[in-house]
Amino acid sequence: MRISKRAERIEPFYVMEVAKAASQLAREVARSASPMIFLNIGEPDFTAPPLVQEAAERAIRDGRTQYTDATGLHALRERISGWYRTRFGVTVPASRIVVTAGASAALQLACLALIEAGDEILMPDPSYPCNRHFVSAAEGDAVLIPTTAAERYQLSAAKVEEHWGPRTRGVLLASPSNPTGTSIHPDELRRIHGFVKAQGGITLLDEIYLGLSHDDTFGHTALALDDQVISINSFSKYFNMTGWRLGWLVVPEVLVAPLERLAQNLFICPSTVAQHAALACFEPESLAEYERRRAEFRARRDWFIPQLQAMGLAVPVVPDGAFYAWADCEAAARHLGVQGSWDFAFEVMRRAHVAVTPGRDFGHADTGRFIRFSTANSMAQLQEAAARLKGLLE
């Protein structure tokens, strides 16, 4: 059978390949004294709060499971609009919000609507691998630009200008970022968008971790800059609804109709039950719970990263959001007699029963030196993982 060149261009999602190996080993050691601890997947250990679960049950019980508009329930778009107003002080009309089957669908729709074959999209290296694969699936070319710790692993306006060429269509950024948990300074983002807009380009912002910002300097949506910014968001991370597959994007008014046509054909609509459930995310009781959980994620970060630093797993930039630690494992790998983050991750998995994610997925520049820890797990699990890692690296 002939496989399309489009499919062949998409690299494996190595995060999930490692996860499969970890799950296999987890079954083997499940009854041992040290069962597997998963610090590899970016998935909150919290589930949807009670009001959200009850709303889903009620929707099923009442038979509200038919198709919705491709752009999502109007009531949900209004609730999201209200959240931007109260949380970020930004007015985003509901008419500019398109609800999608997860942030992945939002990115796919944006890329299909805006990218022609051969268009270049500038992205930081390291960055979330699926983002560049969405560009490839739309037959564009993701151009990864190496970044440094001094730049908080984010693009600068100077680098965007330096790499802008005749085929460049725009930039795809993430703030806070996966895998580093770092955000773009608002002033730098303003400069980036100003340059891109002057070139007639597009600024796409992955803001799915914005609700989990831990620093007032960075906890601002790019939508405050201009109504031409395209923001992708999700109910997975801050709202703890990963498997519900629900997200949204905010776009200029002119882009809503093309996105609606694409969504009608590709997805029909997002999950109706998930949408009815998500309405309850914005109830005061739910929002209070989300803020309590955000404080817990910050406490985990504040405890775990010093533990990594103390055992020689240097974290060059303390993350200001999300729930990740991007750690340099070069010295630790040498200590274990292996080379690179890939072999280090499997050695740690085998000997300490701790699953982590090697940097291989996230780009090409120095990612062999880095591993990503997810601190989305419980404090008890983080403490046990730190104890095992310390014992292994002493």
Side-chain angles (χ1 to χ4, degrees):
M1 180 180 294
R2 182 171 64 88
I3 308 299
S4 73
K5 291 181 180 179
R6 182 185 303 106
E8 295 290 356
R9 289 175 66 186
I10 306 299
E11 303 169 50
F13 192 4
Y14 292 108
V15 169
M16 303 314 294
E17 294 299 312
V18 173
K20 286 194 293 186
S23 295
Q24 173 60 39
L25 181 57
R27 288 190 288 270
E28 298 172 12
V29 302
R31 298 184 183 278
S32 73
S34 58
M36 185 67 69
I37 296 175
F38 294 92
L39 303 185
N40 55 324
I41 301 296
E43 181 170 36
D45 60 323
F46 300 113
T47 60
L51 289 183
V52 177
Q53 297 183 41
E54 291 165 13
E57 294 170 358
R58 192 161 53 248
I60 295 170
R61 201 166 50 242
D62 294 347
R64 288 178 290 152
T65 56
Q66 293 83 8
Y67 295 137
T68 70
D69 290 343
T71 53
L73 288 170
H74 179 71
L76 182 55
R77 297 165 77 190
E78 288 283 359
R79 289 283 180 95
I80 295 169
S81 174
W83 186 65
Y84 278 112
R85 184 170 56 253
T86 57
R87 176 68 184 268
F88 302 107
V90 175
T91 299
V92 178
S95 59
R96 290 177 50 205
I97 297 169
V98 177
V99 182
T100 58
S104 296
L107 278 159
Q108 182 181 358
L109 289 170
C111 289
L112 290 174
L114 294 166
I115 296 173
E116 299 283 7
D119 283 349
E120 292 180 346
I121 300 294
L122 308 183
M123 301 173 59
D125 184 346
S127 59
Y128 182 59
C130 296
N131 287 2
R132 68 178 184 267
H133 297 160
F134 289 123
V135 173
S136 294
E139 300 187 351
D141 294 318
V143 178
L144 297 185
I145 301 172
T147 60
T148 65
E151 298 168 313
R152 302 181 56 77
Y153 300 113
Q154 295 284 359
L155 290 186
S156 64
K159 279 192 170 177
V160 171
E161 184 171 357
E162 177 188 350
H163 289 83
W164 196 275
R167 293 197 296 121
T168 307
R169 180 74 175 102
V171 296
L172 173 50
L173 312 171
S175 186
S177 166
N178 177 3
T180 64
T182 61
S183 300
I184 308 170
H185 194 283
D187 293 341
E188 195 63 43
L189 183 56
R190 185 176 294 106
R191 286 189 284 269
I192 292 172
H193 177 61
F195 174 80
V196 171
K197 187 176 181 180
Q199 313 312 306
I202 54 174
T203 302
L204 290 94
L205 254 295
D206 172 347
E207 295 191 314
I208 70 173
Y209 295 99
L210 182 62
L212 292 175
S213 182
H214 306 311
D215 187 324
D216 290 342
T217 302
F218 301 104
H220 310 282
T221 175
L223 295 168
L225 296 177
D226 186 7
D227 63 6
Q228 296 302 299
V229 169
I230 297 167
S231 172
I232 288 87
N233 218 311
S234 173
F235 284 93
S236 289
K237 309 302 182 178
Y238 177 72
F239 295 103
N240 309 152
M241 295 176 68
T242 50
W244 300 70
R245 307 315 304 136
L246 197 64
W248 75 86
L249 68 168
V250 181
V251 298
E253 293 277 4
V254 69
L255 195 53
V256 174
L259 288 174
E260 184 174 16
R261 290 197 302 272
L262 285 167
Q264 286 169 338
N265 284 278
L266 293 176
F267 305 108
I268 300 181
C269 71
S271 163
T272 301
V273 173
Q275 290 187 72
H276 282 294
L279 289 169
C281 290
F282 303 99
E283 294 295 329
E285 180 181 326
S286 297
L287 290 173
E289 177 62 15
Y290 287 131
E291 285 301 286
R292 186 194 68 77
R293 294 175 180 186
R294 179 166 71 108
E296 175 63 20
F297 283 128
R298 178 172 183 165
R300 295 173 186 180
R301 177 201 68 172
D302 291 346
W303 184 86
F304 190 66
I305 288 180
Q307 304 301 313
L308 295 178
Q309 306 273 30
M311 64 182 80
L313 289 163
V315 179
V317 185
V318 175
D320 57 84
F323 35 59
Y324 299 115
W326 186 240
D328 187 335
C329 68
E330 189 172 42
R334 283 199 305 269
H335 180 80
L336 296 184
V338 298
Q339 288 189 333
S341 64
W342 183 264
D343 290 343
F344 178 80
F346 277 88
E347 192 74 359
V348 166
M349 187 191 308
R350 182 179 66 85
R351 293 172 59 179
H353 299 168
V354 176
V356 298
T357 297
R360 181 175 182 176
D361 248 334
F362 301 102
H364 308 298
D366 290 331
T367 51
R369 290 179 55 186
F370 287 88
I371 53 173
R372 189 198 70 181
F373 290 90
S374 169
T375 55
N377 218 324
S378 70
M379 185 68 84
Q381 290 278 280
L382 291 173
Q383 290 169 342
E384 174 62 20
R388 293 186 196 177
L389 289 169
K390 184 178 180 181
L392 186 62
L393 296 174
E394 282 182 339

